[in-house]
Amino acid sequence: MKPAAFFRTPEVRALLERAARAAGTPLSVHYVDRGEEGLRVMGIGGCAACKFVSDLPDGIARCRASRTEAAVPALRRDRPVPFLCHMGFACVSMPALPGTGLGFTLTFGPYCPDEAPQGVEQDALWGLSDLGLNPEDGLPVSLADIRLNSADAVTAVAEWTSDSLRALWKALQAPAEAPASD
C-alpha cells in the first residue's frame, strides 16, 4: 500500500479523528521532502483564525513555512517538536511514521498553552500585523475555537498517535501468513 493511500483508510482516519479529539486540536498530515512541504495529505478540524489567515495574501505560505521549520527537525530526530506558528499559536509537529524514513508529518494545532492563556490575543494581533492588517483595528476573527490545553498533553497525544500509526503501517506491510498445513 502506498503511504498516501494508507492515511485515507477508514482505520487510519478513525485513529486520526480520535487523536484530534483527544488533543483538542485540529490535526493535519503533510508530506515533507528535502526540506519542502508538499500538499496536505489530509486534515481533521480547523479553526476560524487559520481559515481567515489562509484567505490572506501570503497567509498559506507563512503557515507552510512555520510547519516546515518544525517538521524538518521532527523528521530528523524522529520525535515531536513543539513550535509557535507565525501567528504565535502553539502547535506540535511529529513524524507520522517514525523509524520508516517516510517524510509524513502530523501537525497538532493550533492550541493555547494553559500556562499562558492571556497572550494568545496579543500574539494573534502581532501575527496579523505581519500579514498587513492593522492591530489597532482589533481581531477580525474569533479565537474562541482555539482551545486551552496542556503542552505536555498535546505532545503525548502526538507520540501515541505516531506509535499507533507506525503499528498499523507495519501490520499492513507484513506479508500475510500462509495457512498452516495439516
Side-chain angles (χ1 to χ4, degrees):
M1 172 178 290
K2 293 190 179 199
F6 166 76
F7 288 102
R8 293 187 180 99
T9 64
E11 298 86 0
V12 170
R13 176 89 186 171
L15 187 145
L16 294 175
E17 287 173 353
R18 187 173 53 229
R21 283 192 312 273
T25 70
L27 170 59
S28 61
V29 178
H30 290 85
Y31 183 71
V32 177
D33 185 33
R34 296 184 192 108
E36 296 291 324
E37 181 185 86
L39 294 177
R40 183 176 75 169
V41 176
M42 70 172 307
I44 296 164
C47 69
C50 292
K51 169 69 174 117
F52 180 81
V53 167
S54 73
D55 291 337
L56 294 174
D58 201 34
I60 291 174
R62 295 275 183 98
C63 292
R64 177 173 280 164
S66 294
R67 281 190 309 271
T68 304
E69 188 175 324
V72 169
L75 287 167
R76 186 175 56 249
R77 298 177 191 147
D78 255 352
R79 51 188 284 184
V81 173
F83 69 99
L84 295 178
C85 76
H86 67 101
M87 291 290 294
F89 300 141
C91 302
V92 174
S93 182
M94 178 75 197
L97 299 166
T100 65
L102 298 172
F104 290 90
T105 61
L106 305 172
T107 303
F108 286 83
Y111 68 95
C112 178
D114 58 8
E115 298 85 8
Q118 67 282 0
V120 70
E121 187 171 324
Q122 186 60 50
D123 291 342
L125 286 170
W126 287 332
L128 289 171
S129 71
D130 285 345
L131 291 168
L133 277 73
N134 184 352
E136 292 177 11
D137 293 339
L139 286 172
V141 64
S142 171
L143 302 179
D145 56 356
I146 298 177
R147 300 210 8 221
L148 189 64
N149 209 333
S150 162
D152 290 339
V154 175
T155 300
V157 170
E159 291 173 317
W160 164 81
T161 304
S162 182
D163 290 345
S164 299
L165 287 171
R166 184 180 53 216
L168 278 172
W169 174 253
K170 286 183 177 183
L172 289 172
Q173 301 307 311
E177 290 189 27
S181 60
D182 291 335

